Amino acid sequence: MDWKTLYKERCVTAKEAVAHIKSGDRVVTGHAVGEPSYLIDAMVSEADRLKGVEIVHMVAMGKSEYAKPEMAEHFRHNALFVGGSTRTAVKEGRADYTPCFFFEVPRLFQDSMHINVAMVTVTPPDKSGYCSLGVSVDYTKAAVEAADIVIAQVNEEMPKTYGNCKVHVSQIDYFVLHNDPIIELTPPKIGGVEKQIGKNCAALIEDGDTLQLGIGAIPDAVLLFLKDKKDLGIHSEMFSDGVVDLYEAGVITNAKKKIKPGIMTAAFLMGTKRLYDFVNDNPSVEMDPVDYVNHPFIVMQLDHIVSINSCVQVDLMGQVASESVGTMQISGIGGQVDFVRGASMAEHGKSIIAISSTAAGGTISKIVPKIDAGTPISTSRNDVDYIVTEYGIAHLKGKTLRKRAEALIEIAHPDFRDELRKEYEVQFQCRYFS
Ligand code: COA
């Protein structure tokens, strides 16, 4: 059967499509701003007939109504990363968290998490019957390939992107045609502290480097200080609007990238409509699955890769906690360690953990004598490379525990340095001189 006939036959209403979800099913939704909001709403409106449906999602950017207290009997959210809309459900024990490296999620779908239903967003099919997964390819493509049933919201607003991001009409069981604006992120506020951190990170970036940047005020602040650099490249789990400014200014050319020169590579994107318009039908950006983009074996081949991520606590040994405050899960590991490891194996690679020196309005130091009890370590002391705060740069790789502690105390907030020095003197049985 030709794809056009197949497509026509498989177009249904949202109610008809979600009727295929059964109690006890595992449902994976498209990731981040690629989530199919219209289908999720339709599923939630069927809550009365559903019991114990597991909803697997990573960075959930929509309403996440399935995680509300009144939905507890019907849906149980399984978070691969805990975001703002799902944090309370995890904290209150109404949702679960599954630890995982981002690059391994496609493998989990093949080997250990059987998917009954995948619900994703796609563009309308092209002339050959291929739909693009747009701004969310990451684990979403793997979910399409692994699920028993695939339901797609065909959204004309989804940017048509290039890369290994296409699925054929024959891979999708039900199509629901519905246009929704792609969820936009409010650009973060960049204050003086973030600017100083950005400046310090920028000092570690050289012409021709390839960058991986996380999301938020610090990565955006770093971009502000790169305007005088030349031939930067992007190979990043995700990127946002700040990259568009530097591309248009001719700072990002991708010319020196060891893999896919001339092309920006990402697994997902989140930003404003400006970003989505920029990537639409733009062959200079390729969207690829996360088991390619984040795989340390790929990252290590990008000579001169610099990864920049953040955390909540660093102890004096350089152990980095990025996901929890004590036992409270506040986010996830995402691609942090994928890139830390890839960068440390790459020729001239650097990995940076960039943080403000304090949290909670200056009342808590992020550089601590010991990580809080119950807090999982995200980046180990063996993997850590650079820690950057607004007070400077601590290069830890290759340094003894004593030298690491000294370097970290130097970049801690001055209000907390005495306490850290005391711990240093206990740990190393010697006076601290600085
Ligand atoms: N003690 C107590 N609370 C702390 C804390 C600490 N040491 N550090 C941060 N917090 C609190 C903040 O006060 C804030 O609380 P609020 O939401 O109630 O205001 C919350 O934790 C988030 O901290 P903040 O510093 O504002 O977060 P951020 O937006 O800069 O993100 C991470 C920081 C670590 C959560 C985030 O970078 C992350 O999830 N990293 C791991 C994943 C990763 O690196 N992925 C790869 C790139 S996408």
Side-chain angles (χ1 to χ4, degrees), residues 26-198:
R26 174 178 286 134
V27 176
V28 174
T29 70
H31 182 225
V33 300
E35 76 169 47
S37 310
Y38 188 62
L39 298 180
I40 293 175
D41 287 350
M43 176 187 70
V44 170
S45 70
E46 297 271 305
D48 284 347
R49 70 165 185 85
L50 296 169
K51 283 218 164 34
V53 172
E54 180 185 327
I55 310 293
V56 178
H57 202 154
M58 203 164 186
V59 180
M61 297 302 297
K63 294 175 280 182
S64 306
E65 282 183 332
Y66 48 79
K68 288 195 166 157
E70 61 273 26
M71 291 290 158
E73 187 195 337
H74 309 289
F75 303 107
R76 188 161 179 96
H77 176 44
N78 179 356
L80 306 180
F81 188 100
V82 180
S85 62
T86 55
R87 202 169 281 152
T88 312
V90 174
K91 190 175 160 196
E92 292 175 357
R94 292 180 286 102
D96 299 299
Y97 172 73
T98 300
C100 54
F101 295 121
F102 198 0
F103 89 96
E104 283 186 333
V105 175
R107 180 90 176 261
L108 296 183
F109 291 164
Q110 284 156 18
D111 295 350
S112 37
M113 293 176 81
H114 180 82
I115 308 175
N116 301 103
V117 181
M119 295 207 296
V120 302
T121 308
V122 297
T123 62
D126 65 15
K127 62 181 177 38
S128 310
Y130 284 91
C131 305
S132 165
L133 289 165
V135 293
S136 170
V137 181
D138 42 60
Y139 68 64
T140 309
K141 187 157 190 278
V144 169
E145 287 158 359
D148 297 338
I149 297 173
V150 181
I151 305 172
Q153 178 178 339
V154 182
N155 185 355
E156 289 173 13
E157 301 287 324
M158 177 57 90
K160 189 186 105 190
T161 54
Y162 290 77
N164 181 9
C165 62
K166 301 278 164 54
V167 289
H168 193 258
V169 161
S170 58
Q171 291 175 274
I172 294 168
D173 299 287
Y174 303 102
F175 294 94
V176 176
L177 311 190
H178 183 85
N179 298 331
D180 272 327
I182 303 300
I183 298 166
E184 291 186 63
L185 280 193
T186 318
K189 285 204 179 81
I190 304 178
V193 169
E194 288 82 9
K195 280 193 182 149
Q196 192 53 51
I197 298 166

Side-chain angles (χ1 to χ4, degrees), residues 81 87 212 214-215 237-238 309-313 322 325 330-336 359-360 364-366:
F81 188 100
R87 202 169 281 152
Q212 177 260 324
I215 186 169
E237 165 182 323
M238 59 86 55
N309 293 296
S310 196
C311 74
V312 289
Q313 277 188 340
S322 310
V325 175
I330 62 157
S331 65
I333 200 162
Q336 178 169 122
I364 297 173
S365 176
K366 290 192 181 176

Side-chain angles (χ1 to χ4, degrees), residues 363-432:
T363 58
I364 297 173
S365 176
K366 290 192 181 176
I367 298 179
V368 290
K370 291 193 172 69
I371 299 286
D372 290 350
T375 309
I377 300 299
S378 311
T379 293
S380 89
R381 63 185 190 169
N382 308 297
D383 286 316
V384 74
D385 193 8
Y386 290 90
I387 306 286
V388 171
T389 71
E390 68 272 32
Y391 293 101
I393 301 168
H395 188 200
L396 305 185
K397 197 157 270 259
K399 286 212 168 75
T400 61
L401 290 174
R402 200 160 52 82
K403 291 282 174 206
R404 285 173 179 224
E406 287 166 8
L408 286 164
I409 292 169
E410 292 300 309
I411 63 160
H413 192 285
D415 290 353
F416 296 94
R417 286 183 196 166
D418 277 348
E419 180 196 334
L420 294 167
R421 285 182 193 120
K422 276 188 205 139
E423 173 65 20
Y424 172 97
E425 293 185 351
V426 173
Q427 268 186 30
F428 300 106
Q429 301 284 305
C430 64
R431 291 290 307 279
Y432 181 91

